[in-house]
Amino acid sequence: MDATDIILLLDSSVRLAVPLLLACLAGLYSERSGIVDIGLEGKMLGAAFAAAATAAVTGNVWLGLLAAMAVSTFMSMIHALASINFRGNQIISGVALNFLAAGFTVFLGHAWFRRGGTTPNLRPDERFSTIDLPFAQEFGQVPIIGEIYEQLLSGHSIIVYFAFLAVPVTAFVLFRTRFGLRLRAVGENPKALDTAGMSVSLLRYQALIITGLLCGVAGAYLSTAQGANFSENMTSGRGFIALAALIFAKWRPWQAMWTCLLFGVLSASQIRLQGVEFPMIGEVPVQFIQALPYILTVVLLAGFIGRAKAPKAIGQPYVKER
């Protein structure tokens, strides 16, 4: 494998890591506020369908993105209502959203488009196109550095750049602003925050709105940027992998980015390793290679979930004392 192959592998890794990163950041806001969000998978799936369906009907990918964010935020508000107002079990609420999205998207896809649960293929002008950075072709003639600029840094959709820009923004919001301080406090000691005269419910609702918006962008990326339509269960467990990455990153944005990139490298590798014969081993079964990202998820959870210190109030409904 030469330098060009490595750059192409990293390019694929970045593209595959984007939905994981957006979902991971979405879960970061939710769980930092004390709300467990197993429903990231369902929000992404619902958003992916909304984006593809709206873009197919209107021919406008930006309307598709808005629809995806609206659907995901609506689902996030259902989770907020169940978890904050009704003080229900947060895990059950999230799992219910996953089942709802899995069934409802296929049902609507079949009812509206008669394609077995999928949406029509989007034309290039109905999808998010790639953005070429200035002088990308000229710099591409320079060995290594130019190839990195042309192939790795340039040529991505706007959502890719948004996802990586969201990392420092999230780090700044969480650790350098008053809102971030209150958000972290409500996940650690909501009673103290309530005693200080601030609304625990309002802060958690705000966090879940941000969660819904980010999951909406992640879902729209899957069906209108990385792909060209919606297909059944197209998230393929990415919401759960994002949760594993969040735990491994100890609920910190920069560590979350590197963890998601690690998953992206594994996902890109399993595509390139199919059919390759290894010394003394031979050709590894395709099924094993495809399972590599999920095997890593189990290994990380088994090895690090005991060491990762979650916010103290996570998963605990807050009951205001009278």
Side-chain angles (χ1 to χ4, degrees):
M1 181 178 287
D2 57 16
T4 301
D5 292 331
I6 294 175
I7 292 172
L8 291 175
L9 176 66
L10 292 176
D11 180 61
S12 299
S13 303
V14 167
R15 298 175 192 272
L16 293 170
V18 166
L20 297 177
L21 178 57
L22 288 168
C24 192
L25 293 177
L28 178 66
Y29 281 99
S30 174
E31 300 206 351
R32 277 287 188 172
S33 73
I35 301 295
V36 177
D37 203 342
I38 301 294
L40 296 175
E41 177 86 359
K43 294 186 186 74
M44 291 172 64
L45 192 60
F49 175 80
T54 304
V57 172
T58 64
N60 190 320
V61 69
W62 290 101
L63 290 179
L65 176 62
L66 290 176
M69 295 169 70
V71 167
S72 180
T73 304
F74 175 73
M75 295 177 70
S76 196
M77 290 300 94
I78 294 176
H79 184 52
L81 188 67
S83 303
I84 300 172
N85 295 82
F86 297 152
R87 303 186 185 93
N89 187 296
Q90 297 171 11
I91 294 178
I92 293 177
S93 172
V95 171
L97 286 177
N98 292 337
F99 282 126
L100 176 67
F104 212 52
T105 51
V106 175
F107 169 76
L108 289 179
H110 179 71
W112 291 349
F113 302 107
R114 302 295 178 184
R115 289 171 170 262
T118 64
T119 60
N121 290 331
L122 300 175
R123 301 190 307 270
D125 61 327
E126 296 173 339
R127 301 173 56 204
F128 283 104
S129 58
T130 57
I131 298 174
D132 292 325
L133 297 181
F135 308 108
Q137 291 184 351
E138 290 78 3
F139 279 123
Q141 306 302 319
V142 180
I144 310 298
I145 297 177
E147 292 180 22
I148 292 174
Y149 182 76
E150 181 189 21
Q151 299 181 25
L152 184 58
L153 300 181
S154 180
H156 298 288
S157 70
I158 191 171
I159 296 181
V160 175
Y161 298 109
F162 169 80
F164 285 95
L165 180 62
V167 176
V169 171
T170 297
F172 178 80
V173 169
L174 282 180
F175 299 106
R176 293 290 186 270
T177 66
R178 184 176 300 176
F179 170 75
L181 176 63
R182 292 173 177 175
L183 189 69
R184 287 182 287 124
V186 79
E188 295 288 342
N189 193 342
K191 184 177 180 180
L193 204 70
D194 188 28
T195 304
M198 284 167 274
S199 173
V200 172
S201 297
L202 178 61
L203 278 166
R204 288 182 168 175
Y205 262 99
Q206 290 172 341
L208 285 171
I209 288 174
I210 298 173
T211 297
L213 293 174
L214 288 174
C215 281
V217 178
Y221 175 80
L222 288 173
S223 60
T224 60
Q226 189 180 72
N229 70 340
F230 173 85
S231 58
E232 182 179 357
N233 195 31
M234 73 180 306
T235 48
S236 302
R238 287 180 176 88
F240 301 112
I241 295 178
L243 280 176
L246 181 60
I247 295 170
F248 179 64
K250 299 181 180 179
W251 293 268
R252 293 180 175 273
W254 286 108
Q255 289 88 330
M257 182 189 74
W258 295 116
T259 306
C260 290
L261 284 172
L262 174 62
F263 280 111
V265 168
L266 276 177
S267 298
S269 299
Q270 61 98 358
I271 296 173
R272 292 182 173 270
L273 290 177
Q274 293 180 19
V276 176
E277 292 191 3
F278 295 90
M280 302 179 64
I281 299 176
E283 185 176 337
V284 179
V286 174
Q287 293 81 358
F288 177 79
I289 295 176
Q290 291 175 337
L292 279 178
Y294 305 98
I295 293 174
L296 179 65
T297 302
V298 175
V299 170
L300 291 181
L301 286 177
F304 292 92
I305 193 169
R307 304 177 191 176
K309 188 177 180 182
K312 293 180 180 178
I314 191 169
Q316 302 175 11
Y318 179 68
V319 180
K320 187 173 183 178
E321 296 181 358
R322 298 184 180 277

